């Protein structure tokens, strides 16, 4: 049965009861950040009321409890990604920091002048700029995997980009700007055939579909807590154990060392702790674990199927609007509806529709190279989560019609 009990599920989200400009909130900016169920919010109250303590080093009860909850969350993430080993799960501040970790640790140790890194045109700036910064220092070349007019990666062009100098492919699993689902499993296979590694940015995939890093055969996989019903300030880098073991530390400090000395070389902790310098976001990590359990209780296949219905309903609805152009018409899409409207600026649409209580995002969605190819510098983007309803989509579409009428 592919019907979600959405009214029951909505009761988990206190924020969905609020009004905006006197209208019920219709929250359709989930690709930027998703809302948080009370089970996750309660983690913070529980943690700070009962067992707030620094982890790993303490010998007292509170430190033990905090450490157990923190490491328990690591195991939850391992299961969520179907990773082989919990040591392959590194907690970061988010997807951005996870990618910067790979660039600065693996990248610095493995890339030299003349090497090549393949990045798709669909990428979020966070999977472009870290590589550009590093390329500026190390002198390797960035090659761009092209997209077609539907926003689909050109796989035959992808295959042709490989040379004996290709070291890494950096690609998102789902595009935040267009919602395109990329064939990362096939892309990983091609990368590995050529002896290259693949880093998958899963920020927009983790909320919408079950992730299996073993099936994908990803070398690195990153996602953010705040897009998958968890808190901000926490994310995950999954890396294959033998890669993480061989990589040098990125940030130095407490928690990541074994011994520190001025006389002999400082030695480092085992993975994953080698990559977790300093006191981490303890409550956030525990809350992320709770969020993933919440997601698991409902089931990602069910969430994905529900969102596909919402996307279809919204896609049909907005076609009524004359002069509306959808960007991103891939056959396989998740959760995102991106569009521009003739004679109405995206920003004006966003501001006016907010007056009706509808939250959408307008702008370049941190994907300027992609938008440039489509001749626009901004789009409107509605993006969906498990708690959205067809009725909310109707409010959005009717609101959009009204707003566009006012602007033209
Ligand atoms: N990659 C993609 C595809 C994203 O959508 C986002 C967030 N918009 C990021 C990376 C960056 O995530 P964060 O800001 O949580 O680090």
């Amino acid at each position: 049965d592919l019907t979600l009990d959405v009214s029951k599920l909505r009761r988990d989200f206190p924020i969905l009861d609020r009004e905006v400009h006197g209208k019920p909130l219709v929250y359709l900016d989930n690709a930027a950040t998703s809302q948080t169920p009370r089970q996750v919010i309660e983690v913070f109250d529980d943690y700070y009321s009962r067992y707030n303590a620094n982890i790993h080093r303490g010998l007292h009860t509170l430190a033990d409890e905090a450490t157990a909850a923190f490491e328990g969350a690591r195991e939850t993430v391992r299961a969520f990604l179907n990773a082989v080993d919990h040591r392959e799960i590194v907690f970061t501040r988010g997807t951005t920091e996870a990618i910067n970790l790979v660039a600065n640790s693996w990248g610095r140790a493995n890339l030299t002048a003349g090497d090549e890194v393949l990045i798709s045109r669909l990428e979020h700036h966070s999977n472009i700029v870290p590589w550009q910064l590093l390329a500026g220092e190390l002198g390797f070349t960035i090659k761009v995997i092209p997209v077609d007019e539907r926003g689909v990666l050109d796989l035959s062009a992808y295959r042709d980009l490989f040379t004996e100098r290709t070291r890494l492919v950096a690609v998102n699993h789902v595009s935040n700007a267009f919602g395109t689902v990329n064939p990362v499993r096939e892309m990983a296979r091609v990368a590995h055939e050529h002896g290259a590694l693949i880093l998958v940015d899963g920020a927009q995939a983790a909320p919408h579909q079950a992730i299996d890093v073993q099936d994908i055969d990803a070398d690195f996989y990153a996602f953010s807590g705040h897009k998958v019903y968890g808190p901000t300030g926490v994310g995950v880098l999954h890396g294959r154990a033998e890669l993480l073991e061989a990589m040098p530390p990125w940030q130095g400090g407490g928690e990541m060392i074994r011994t520190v000395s001025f006389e002999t070389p400082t030695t480092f902790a085992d993975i994953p702790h080698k990559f977790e310098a300093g006191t981490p976001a303890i409550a956030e990590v525990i809350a992320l674990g709770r969020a993933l359990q919440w997601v698991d209780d409902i089931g990602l296949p069910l969430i994905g199927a529900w969102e596909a219905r919402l996307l279809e309903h919204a896609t049909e609805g907005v076609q009524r609007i004359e002069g509306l152009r959808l960007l991103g018409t891939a056959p396989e899409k998740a959760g995102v509806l991106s569009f521009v409207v003739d004679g109405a600026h995206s920003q004006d649409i966003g501001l006016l529709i907010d007056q009706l209580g509808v939250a959408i995002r307008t702008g370049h969605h941190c994907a300027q190279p992609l938008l440039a190819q489509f001749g626009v510098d901004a789009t409107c983007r509605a993006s969906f989560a498990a708690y959205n309803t067809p009725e909310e989509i109707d409010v959005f579409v009717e609101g959009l019609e009204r707003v566009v009428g006012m602007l033209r």
Side-chain angles (χ1 to χ4, degrees):
D1 179 17
L2 284 185
T3 353
L4 204 75
D5 189 349
V6 71
S7 46
K8 173 161 175 275
L9 181 155
R10 285 177 71 85
R11 287 199 289 275
D12 286 344
F13 293 85
I15 208 169
L16 297 179
D17 290 334
R18 74 161 281 180
E19 297 193 337
V20 170
H21 302 299
K23 309 275 188 330
L25 168 67
V26 173
Y27 186 79
L28 299 179
D29 193 17
N30 295 287
T33 205
S34 53
Q35 296 304 339
T36 314
R38 75 188 146 67
Q39 293 90 334
V40 174
I41 299 170
E42 281 162 9
V43 168
F44 288 89
D45 189 57
D46 189 39
Y47 173 79
Y48 286 109
S49 306
R50 293 203 313 110
Y51 63 102
N52 176 28
N54 212 328
I55 54 169
H56 294 141
R57 288 158 303 185
L59 281 174
H60 57 78
T61 302
L62 268 55
D64 279 349
E65 289 179 11
T67 302
F70 185 91
E71 291 302 327
R74 198 187 304 277
E75 172 54 26
T76 304
V77 173
R78 185 210 61 75
F80 182 77
L81 294 175
N82 193 34
V84 174
D85 189 333
H86 61 89
R87 296 179 312 135
E88 297 184 319
I89 306 301
V90 178
F91 288 115
T92 65
R93 281 197 300 122
T95 306
T96 302
E97 194 180 61
I99 296 169
N100 277 277
L101 192 168
V102 177
N104 283 285
S105 171
W106 180 86
R108 272 178 206 288
N110 290 281
L111 296 172
T112 56
D115 283 345
E116 293 166 0
V117 170
L118 309 187
I119 303 180
S120 97
R121 186 170 282 275
L122 279 176
E123 294 318 298
H124 188 279
H125 295 163
S126 64
N127 203 16
I128 300 174
V129 182
W131 304 110
Q132 289 179 329
L133 290 173
L134 196 62
E137 277 182 57
L138 303 182
F140 62 85
T141 305
I142 292 171
K143 289 168 133 186
V144 182
I145 309 162
V147 294
D148 69 14
E149 65 293 342
R150 300 167 302 165
V152 175
L153 290 180
D154 181 339
L155 278 195
S156 103
Y158 169 64
R159 284 190 202 94
D160 292 343
L161 284 174
F162 283 87
T163 71
E164 72 285 355
R165 297 305 301 266
T166 311
R167 299 283 175 261
L168 178 77
V169 175
V171 67
N172 61 42
H173 197 166
V174 173
S175 151
N176 67 305
F178 287 3
T180 312
V181 180
N182 293 315
V184 288
R185 189 165 173 264
E186 168 66 7
M187 293 178 80
R189 201 181 56 72
V190 175
H192 293 152
E193 257 172 38
H194 290 87
L197 300 185
I198 186 165
L199 175 149
V200 180
D201 166 359
Q204 296 293 340
H208 305 300
Q209 61 184 82
I211 308 295
D212 185 334
V213 291
Q214 294 186 65
D215 181 61
I216 296 168
D217 204 12
D219 298 293
F220 299 105
Y221 196 97
F223 72 95
S224 296
H226 68 99
K227 293 181 197 285
V228 59
Y229 309 101
T232 56
V234 62
V236 169
L237 174 68
H238 166 266
R240 283 201 286 115
E242 65 270 30
L243 288 170
L244 292 179
E245 270 160 0
M247 280 158 54
W250 172 35
Q251 295 175 333
E255 309 256 1
M256 53 77 70
I257 54 92
R258 186 184 318 258
T259 60
V260 178
S261 161
F262 287 120
E263 286 72 39
T264 56
T266 288
T267 58
F268 304 114
D270 289 334
I271 63 165
H273 306 290
K274 182 170 72 175
F275 296 109
E276 293 179 352
T279 302
I282 302 168
E284 284 79 0
V285 164
I286 299 167
L288 170 60
R290 186 64 189 89
L292 299 182
Q293 277 163 9
W294 182 90
V295 166
D296 203 43
D297 286 345
I298 296 164
L300 272 167
L302 192 55
I303 292 174
W306 176 252
E307 290 169 344
R309 274 176 56 182
L310 296 173
L311 180 63
E312 199 184 310
H313 188 55
T315 306
E316 267 169 36
V318 299
Q319 314 275 1
R320 294 207 299 265
I321 296 164
E322 216 193 289
L324 182 144
R325 173 182 159 216
L326 285 179
L327 286 101
T329 49
E332 254 206 275
K333 273 180 64 168
V336 168
L337 191 73
S338 211
F339 59 88
V340 291
V341 185
D342 285 344
H345 282 293
S346 296
Q347 200 182 342
D348 295 336
I349 293 175
L351 284 169
L352 286 177
I353 207 164
D354 176 64
Q355 295 294 317
L356 306 175
V358 181
I360 63 170
R361 179 140 302 229
T362 59
H364 55 61
H365 317 298
C366 299
Q368 287 181 350
L370 178 65
L371 265 51
Q373 175 175 328
F374 288 77
V376 296
D377 55 20
T379 77
C380 296
R381 181 185 73 185
S383 54
F384 312 113
Y387 43 70
N388 289 127
T389 66
E391 294 74 29
E392 287 184 313
I393 305 290
D394 294 338
V395 172
F396 156 64
V397 173
E398 280 154 28
L400 187 62
E401 275 183 304
R402 248 178 86 187
V403 162
V404 168
M406 285 162 70
L407 288 171
R408 291 208 278 233

